[in-house]
Amino acid sequence: AGDTIESVNIATSAAITSSPTKDAPENAGALVDGKATAWVSRDGATPAWFQLDYAKAREVDSIRLKFEEGQPDRSMQFTLKVIDANGDEHTVAERTEADLSKQQGIVMDVPVGMSITRIRMDIADARSGSPAWPLVSEIEVYATPGNVARDAKTTASDGSTLTAADLAKLTDGDRDSAATLTATADKTLTFTLAKAADINMLGLLASGNSEP
């Protein structure tokens, strides 16, 4: 469906810090490089940790952790926590010492569903039949873009036939309401945002019987 807004991975927009790691390309940057590299704790040391910090709160739907391909037996004891927009801490995933004897898999999807400023993973131990090095191949942070148009002031060019009610329909978030742009002046519209915003995408919905 062309009018569906999907979650986007915002992991790369975070500031990343970490406990000591191996040298590049197995450092903190490997967590978000989209390649078959991995963050690896230096000398296999535990405890180990990394965190992602956002300059402002972001609405996060879920977090995906990826571990090294070809090593399904690797298992780690860890907690994954987030800090919400109010500064409160939430544990969104946890593997205990008892879980070390269980496979953790190659991919782990973790629901979040809140506005957050920080993600932190603390690793207490790692096993792969015997002691192993803490390793995470990738972290992906999925957020659904907010619609900043709803708070925008919409104006049309001089001579437009659009009423205030028509203009309101353009940004009300209701896909069933619409405004018909008939006059030439109707087709030059200005949307003034209430405040500065990061724009990742622009979407325009038009009815199937609209004319250019």
Side-chain angles (χ1 to χ4, degrees), residues 7-30:
S7 295
V8 294
N9 179 12
I10 61 168
T12 57
S13 63
I16 305 173
T17 51
S18 166
S19 57
T21 67
K22 295 183 69 175
D23 294 337
E26 296 175 308
N27 58 2

Side-chain angles (χ1 to χ4, degrees), residues 29-209:
L31 288 165
V32 297
D33 64 2
K35 302 177 182 178
T37 54
W39 168 93
V40 184
S41 178
R42 182 185 296 171
D43 300 323
T46 54
W49 61 271
F50 63 81
Q51 72 182 38
L52 284 69
D53 286 287
Y54 291 94
K56 60 181 181 181
R58 307 296 297 267
E59 290 288 342
V60 171
D61 301 321
S62 63
I63 296 169
R64 173 171 290 177
L65 296 172
K66 293 183 178 181
F67 306 104
E68 191 170 34
E69 293 283 353
Q71 293 199 19
D73 293 331
R74 183 186 298 271
S75 184
M76 295 191 297
Q77 176 186 352
F78 68 81
T79 57
L80 183 67
K81 298 181 179 181
V82 299
I83 302 294
D84 68 21
N86 297 319
D88 296 324
E89 183 179 82
H90 304 265
T91 298
V92 292
E94 183 175 17
R95 300 190 89 243
T96 66
E97 184 177 2
D99 292 322
L100 286 170
S101 60
K102 307 171 186 176
Q103 288 191 353
Q104 67 185 10
I106 301 302
V107 176
M108 182 180 296
D109 287 317
V110 180
V112 177
M114 68 183 83
S115 181
I116 68 170
T117 59
R118 173 176 292 176
I119 301 167
R120 182 179 172 105
M121 186 170 185
D122 285 281
I123 302 169
D125 200 359
R127 300 278 169 171
S128 184
S130 58
W133 289 24
L135 178 154
V136 177
S137 178
E138 197 85 7
I139 182 169
E140 298 172 353
V141 182
Y142 288 99
T144 300
N147 183 5
V148 297
R150 293 186 182 184
D151 297 322
K153 178 182 178 182
T154 308
T155 55
S157 295
D158 290 342
S160 170
T161 60
L162 296 173
T163 66
D166 291 329
L167 293 172
K169 292 177 181 179
L170 298 174
T171 58
D172 63 4
D174 184 352
R175 295 173 185 236
D176 294 325
S177 69
T180 302
L181 312 182
T182 54
T184 299
D186 295 344
K187 300 174 184 179
T188 301
L189 300 166
T190 301
F191 301 90
T192 305
L193 302 182
K195 59 182 179 180
D198 296 324
I199 305 297
N200 297 313
M201 66 178 70
L202 294 173
L204 177 65
L205 303 182
S207 63
N209 60 357

